[in-house]
Amino acid sequence: MTGTVRRDELTANLAAVRTRIERACDAAGRDPAEVTLIVVTKYFPVSDVLLLHDLGVRDFGENRDQEAGPKFGEARSELRRRGGDDLTLHFIGQLQSNKAGHVAAYADVVQSVDRSKLVGALSRGADHAGRPLAVLLQVSLDGDTARGGVLPEHALELADEVVAHDALTLKGVMAVAPLGAAPDESFRRLRDVADGIRSQHVDADWISAGMSGDLEAAVLNGATHLRVGTAILGSRPSLL
Protein backbone atom coordinates (compact mmCIF):
# COMPACT_ATOMS: atom_id res chain seq x y z
CA MET A 1 0.00 0.00 0.00
CA THR A 2 1.42 3.36 -0.98
CA GLY A 3 1.83 6.17 1.52
CA THR A 4 -0.85 8.23 -0.21
CA VAL A 5 -3.38 5.39 -0.16
CA ARG A 6 -2.67 4.66 3.51
CA ARG A 7 -2.97 8.34 4.41
CA ASP A 8 -6.35 8.51 2.67
CA GLU A 9 -7.51 5.38 4.48
CA LEU A 10 -6.44 6.67 7.89
CA THR A 11 -7.95 10.08 7.16
CA ALA A 12 -11.34 8.55 6.36
CA ASN A 13 -11.32 6.14 9.30
CA LEU A 14 -10.22 8.81 11.75
CA ALA A 15 -12.96 11.15 10.55
CA ALA A 16 -15.56 8.40 10.96
CA VAL A 17 -14.48 7.68 14.53
CA ARG A 18 -14.42 11.36 15.44
CA THR A 19 -17.97 11.66 14.04
CA ARG A 20 -19.04 8.74 16.25
CA ILE A 21 -17.51 10.44 19.26
CA GLU A 22 -19.26 13.73 18.46
CA ARG A 23 -22.62 11.98 18.08
CA ALA A 24 -22.10 10.01 21.31
CA CYS A 25 -21.25 13.20 23.16
CA ASP A 26 -24.31 14.92 21.74
CA ALA A 27 -26.51 12.03 22.93
CA ALA A 28 -24.91 12.19 26.38
CA GLY A 29 -25.08 15.98 26.63
CA ARG A 30 -21.30 16.23 26.75
CA ASP A 31 -18.70 18.41 25.04
CA PRO A 32 -16.51 16.37 22.64
CA ALA A 33 -13.55 18.40 23.92
CA GLU A 34 -13.89 16.43 27.17
CA VAL A 35 -12.97 13.19 25.39
CA THR A 36 -9.45 12.23 24.33
CA LEU A 37 -9.00 9.72 21.53
CA ILE A 38 -6.10 7.32 22.04
CA VAL A 39 -5.20 5.45 18.85
CA VAL A 40 -3.91 1.97 19.66
CA THR A 41 -1.11 1.17 17.22
CA LYS A 42 -0.16 -2.32 18.40
CA TYR A 43 1.47 -4.28 15.53
CA PHE A 44 1.29 -1.28 13.18
CA PRO A 45 4.46 0.39 11.89
CA VAL A 46 6.11 3.68 12.77
CA SER A 47 4.94 5.05 9.44
CA ASP A 48 1.33 4.80 10.63
CA VAL A 49 2.19 6.60 13.86
CA LEU A 50 3.75 9.43 11.88
CA LEU A 51 0.82 9.63 9.44
CA LEU A 52 -1.64 9.78 12.35
CA HIS A 53 0.45 12.49 13.98
CA ASP A 54 0.26 14.45 10.73
CA LEU A 55 -3.53 14.05 10.94
CA GLY A 56 -3.65 15.56 14.40
CA VAL A 57 -3.47 12.52 16.67
CA ARG A 58 -1.35 13.13 19.75
CA ASP A 59 -2.28 10.23 22.05
CA PHE A 60 -1.18 6.69 21.19
CA GLY A 61 -1.61 3.36 22.96
CA GLU A 62 0.59 0.27 23.04
CA ASN A 63 0.53 -2.88 25.17
CA ARG A 64 3.75 -4.74 24.36
CA ASP A 65 6.97 -3.40 25.86
CA GLN A 66 9.19 -5.14 23.31
CA GLU A 67 7.35 -3.38 20.49
CA ALA A 68 6.45 -0.05 22.05
CA GLY A 69 9.91 1.00 23.21
CA PRO A 70 11.71 0.76 19.86
CA LYS A 71 8.73 1.95 17.81
CA PHE A 72 8.13 5.11 19.77
CA GLY A 73 11.83 5.77 20.21
CA GLU A 74 12.02 5.89 16.42
CA ALA A 75 8.82 7.93 16.13
CA ARG A 76 9.99 10.51 18.63
CA SER A 77 13.39 10.81 16.98
CA GLU A 78 11.72 11.54 13.66
CA LEU A 79 9.32 14.06 15.22
CA ARG A 80 12.23 15.85 16.90
CA ARG A 81 14.00 15.97 13.54
CA ARG A 82 10.86 17.62 12.16
CA GLY A 83 10.82 20.16 14.94
CA GLY A 84 8.96 18.80 17.94
CA ASP A 85 7.98 15.71 19.91
CA ASP A 86 4.50 16.36 21.27
CA LEU A 87 2.95 12.91 21.40
CA THR A 88 1.73 11.13 24.53
CA LEU A 89 2.29 7.39 24.80
CA HIS A 90 -0.13 5.35 26.93
CA PHE A 91 0.97 1.86 27.95
CA ILE A 92 -2.28 -0.09 28.22
CA GLY A 93 -1.29 -3.74 28.53
CA GLN A 94 -0.70 -6.05 31.45
CA LEU A 95 2.73 -5.30 32.81
CA GLN A 96 5.15 -7.49 34.70
CA SER A 97 6.95 -5.71 37.52
CA ASN A 98 10.35 -6.68 36.08
CA LYS A 99 9.49 -4.72 32.92
CA ALA A 100 8.14 -1.69 34.77
CA GLY A 101 11.43 0.18 34.96
CA HIS A 102 11.91 -0.03 31.21
CA VAL A 103 8.37 1.10 30.47
CA ALA A 104 8.64 4.00 32.91
CA ALA A 105 11.58 5.32 30.90
CA TYR A 106 9.58 5.91 27.72
CA ALA A 107 5.81 5.81 28.44
CA ASP A 108 4.02 8.95 29.56
CA VAL A 109 1.05 7.12 31.06
CA VAL A 110 0.66 3.57 32.35
CA GLN A 111 -3.02 2.61 32.35
CA SER A 112 -2.69 -0.92 33.73
CA VAL A 113 -1.64 -0.49 37.38
CA ASP A 114 -3.38 -3.19 39.39
CA ARG A 115 -1.16 -4.25 42.31
CA SER A 116 1.18 -2.88 44.95
CA LYS A 117 4.30 -4.55 43.55
CA LEU A 118 3.80 -2.78 40.22
CA VAL A 119 3.28 0.59 41.92
CA GLY A 120 6.65 0.30 43.63
CA ALA A 121 8.43 -0.89 40.49
CA LEU A 122 7.03 1.95 38.38
CA SER A 123 7.95 4.50 41.02
CA ARG A 124 11.53 3.26 41.11
CA GLY A 125 11.68 3.24 37.31
CA ALA A 126 10.35 6.79 37.07
CA ASP A 127 12.81 7.95 39.72
CA HIS A 128 15.70 6.32 37.90
CA ALA A 129 14.61 7.85 34.58
CA GLY A 130 14.22 11.28 36.18
CA ARG A 131 10.77 11.80 34.70
CA PRO A 132 7.27 11.87 36.19
CA LEU A 133 4.85 9.09 35.29
CA ALA A 134 1.07 9.33 35.15
CA VAL A 135 -0.83 6.17 36.07
CA LEU A 136 -4.36 4.80 35.94
CA LEU A 137 -5.69 1.94 38.00
CA GLN A 138 -6.95 -0.93 35.88
CA VAL A 139 -10.18 -2.17 37.44
CA SER A 140 -11.42 -5.73 37.00
CA LEU A 141 -15.12 -5.64 36.18
CA ASP A 142 -15.63 -9.43 36.06
CA GLY A 143 -13.71 -10.48 39.18
CA ASP A 144 -11.07 -12.35 37.17
CA THR A 145 -7.89 -10.59 38.27
CA ALA A 146 -5.79 -13.11 36.32
CA ARG A 147 -6.75 -11.09 33.25
CA GLY A 148 -5.51 -7.90 34.89
CA GLY A 149 -7.20 -5.39 37.14
CA VAL A 150 -7.73 -4.62 40.79
CA LEU A 151 -11.07 -5.61 42.31
CA PRO A 152 -13.39 -2.60 42.74
CA GLU A 153 -13.46 -3.00 46.52
CA HIS A 154 -9.66 -2.69 46.67
CA ALA A 155 -9.25 0.17 44.18
CA LEU A 156 -9.26 3.03 46.69
CA GLU A 157 -6.61 1.32 48.81
CA LEU A 158 -4.39 0.96 45.75
CA ALA A 159 -5.06 4.58 44.81
CA ASP A 160 -3.78 5.64 48.21
CA GLU A 161 -0.59 3.67 47.58
CA VAL A 162 -0.02 5.40 44.25
CA VAL A 163 -0.36 8.92 45.65
CA ALA A 164 2.20 8.09 48.35
CA HIS A 165 4.89 7.93 45.63
CA ASP A 166 6.20 11.32 44.51
CA ALA A 167 7.30 10.00 41.11
CA LEU A 168 3.77 8.88 40.22
CA THR A 169 0.66 10.92 39.47
CA LEU A 170 -2.70 9.21 39.88
CA LYS A 171 -4.91 10.24 36.95
CA GLY A 172 -7.90 7.91 37.32
CA VAL A 173 -9.11 4.46 36.26
CA MET A 174 -9.20 2.18 33.25
CA ALA A 175 -11.19 -0.92 32.37
CA VAL A 176 -12.20 -3.19 29.53
CA ALA A 177 -15.81 -4.34 29.33
CA PRO A 178 -15.85 -8.12 30.04
CA LEU A 179 -16.57 -10.41 27.11
CA GLY A 180 -20.26 -11.14 26.85
CA ALA A 181 -21.23 -8.42 29.31
CA ALA A 182 -23.34 -5.39 28.44
CA PRO A 183 -20.89 -2.50 27.97
CA ASP A 184 -23.33 0.05 29.39
CA GLU A 185 -23.66 -1.83 32.68
CA SER A 186 -19.90 -2.47 32.85
CA PHE A 187 -19.01 1.16 32.32
CA ARG A 188 -21.58 2.29 34.90
CA ARG A 189 -19.76 0.13 37.41
CA LEU A 190 -16.45 1.65 36.40
CA ARG A 191 -17.87 5.14 36.82
CA ASP A 192 -18.96 4.24 40.35
CA VAL A 193 -15.41 3.12 41.17
CA ALA A 194 -14.03 6.31 39.61
CA ASP A 195 -16.41 8.44 41.68
CA GLY A 196 -15.26 6.73 44.87
CA ILE A 197 -11.60 7.38 44.10
CA ARG A 198 -12.23 10.95 43.02
CA SER A 199 -14.02 11.65 46.31
CA GLN A 200 -10.65 11.12 48.02
CA HIS A 201 -8.29 12.17 45.20
CA VAL A 202 -9.99 15.02 43.39
CA ASP A 203 -7.49 15.28 40.52
CA ALA A 204 -7.90 11.61 39.54
CA ASP A 205 -10.62 12.44 37.02
CA TRP A 206 -9.74 10.27 34.01
CA ILE A 207 -11.92 7.34 33.00
CA SER A 208 -10.32 5.30 30.23
CA ALA A 209 -12.99 3.04 28.75
CA GLY A 210 -14.41 2.08 25.40
CA MET A 211 -12.86 0.67 22.26
CA SER A 212 -13.89 0.38 18.61
CA GLY A 213 -17.05 -1.57 19.33
CA ASP A 214 -18.36 0.09 22.48
CA LEU A 215 -17.13 3.67 22.57
CA GLU A 216 -20.70 5.07 22.58
CA ALA A 217 -21.53 3.26 25.83
CA ALA A 218 -18.29 4.51 27.34
CA VAL A 219 -19.01 8.13 26.44
CA LEU A 220 -22.52 7.81 27.88
CA ASN A 221 -20.99 6.69 31.18
CA GLY A 222 -18.42 9.41 31.53
CA ALA A 223 -15.34 8.13 29.72
CA THR A 224 -12.72 10.82 29.25
CA HIS A 225 -10.35 8.65 27.20
CA LEU A 226 -11.22 6.15 24.45
CA ARG A 227 -8.80 3.48 23.22
CA VAL A 228 -9.51 2.80 19.54
CA GLY A 229 -7.45 0.65 17.21
CA THR A 230 -9.26 -1.44 14.60
CA ALA A 231 -11.82 1.20 13.60
CA ILE A 232 -8.98 3.52 12.59
CA LEU A 233 -6.09 1.27 11.58
CA GLY A 234 -7.97 -1.74 10.27
CA SER A 235 -7.31 -5.40 11.03
CA ARG A 236 -4.04 -6.04 12.78
CA PRO A 237 -1.18 -7.16 10.58
CA SER A 238 1.13 -10.04 11.43
CA LEU A 239 3.41 -9.59 14.42
CA LEU A 240 6.26 -7.22 13.66
Side-chain angles (χ1 to χ4, degrees):
M1 182 181 296
T2 67
T4 299
V5 170
R6 183 56 167 163
R7 176 184 288 271
D8 290 345
E9 180 181 51
L10 291 177
T11 298
N13 291 348
L14 187 60
V17 168
R18 285 175 168 158
T19 296
R20 288 176 61 190
I21 294 170
E22 290 170 1
R23 289 174 176 168
C25 287
D26 185 60
R30 298 182 59 192
D31 182 348
E34 299 172 1
V35 179
T36 298
L37 173 62
I38 301 168
V39 180
V40 180
T41 49
K42 174 185 178 181
Y43 295 158
F44 287 90
V46 174
S47 58
D48 279 351
V49 174
L50 296 174
L51 282 172
L52 287 163
H53 187 275
D54 287 346
L55 296 172
V57 175
R58 293 296 180 267
D59 289 78
F60 295 86
E62 290 281 338
N63 67 356
R64 298 172 65 252
D65 175 40
Q66 63 268 41
E67 177 186 349
K71 180 193 296 185
F72 278 83
E74 183 178 345
R76 283 177 158 143
S77 292
E78 174 59 20
L79 290 174
R80 285 193 292 270
R81 187 189 69 79
R82 297 180 183 184
D85 167 14
D86 56 350
L87 64 80
T88 297
L89 177 59
H90 301 251
F91 190 87
I92 59 177
Q94 285 188 268
L95 181 58
Q96 297 176 340
S97 56
N98 63 353
K99 299 284 186 68
H102 187 245
V103 171
Y106 66 80
D108 302 294
V109 185
V110 173
Q111 295 203 9
S112 49
V113 174
D114 60 0
R115 60 197 186 279
S116 298
K117 187 175 182 181
L118 185 54
V119 171
L122 286 170
S123 178
R124 290 190 295 274
D127 270 331
H128 185 263
R131 62 196 300 268
L133 182 65
V135 302
L136 279 72
L137 305 186
Q138 182 175 351
V139 179
S140 173
L141 297 177
D142 61 4
D144 183 6
T145 56
R147 296 175 57 192
V150 61
L151 293 173
E153 58 266 32
H154 299 315
L156 182 55
E157 179 182 354
L158 188 61
D160 291 340
E161 292 185 37
V162 170
V163 300
H165 291 264
D166 291 341
L168 304 179
T169 301
L170 178 66
K171 302 299 291 185
V173 298
M174 181 273 270
V176 178
L179 292 174
D184 193 61
E185 172 62 24
S186 297
F187 296 145
R188 276 199 300 269
R189 293 177 59 206
L190 180 63
R191 184 174 58 185
D192 289 342
V193 175
D195 288 345
I197 291 173
R198 194 164 54 247
S199 71
Q200 301 298 314
H201 304 289
V202 66
D203 292 330
D205 57 0
W206 291 14
I207 300 177
S208 175
M211 298 187 290
S212 293
D214 56 17
L215 68 84
E216 286 84 0
V219 169
L220 183 64
N221 287 284
T224 62
H225 291 69
L226 305 170
R227 309 179 308 273
V228 179
T230 303
I232 294 172
L233 289 150
S235 299
R236 288 174 180 163
S238 300
L239 183 65
L240 293 175

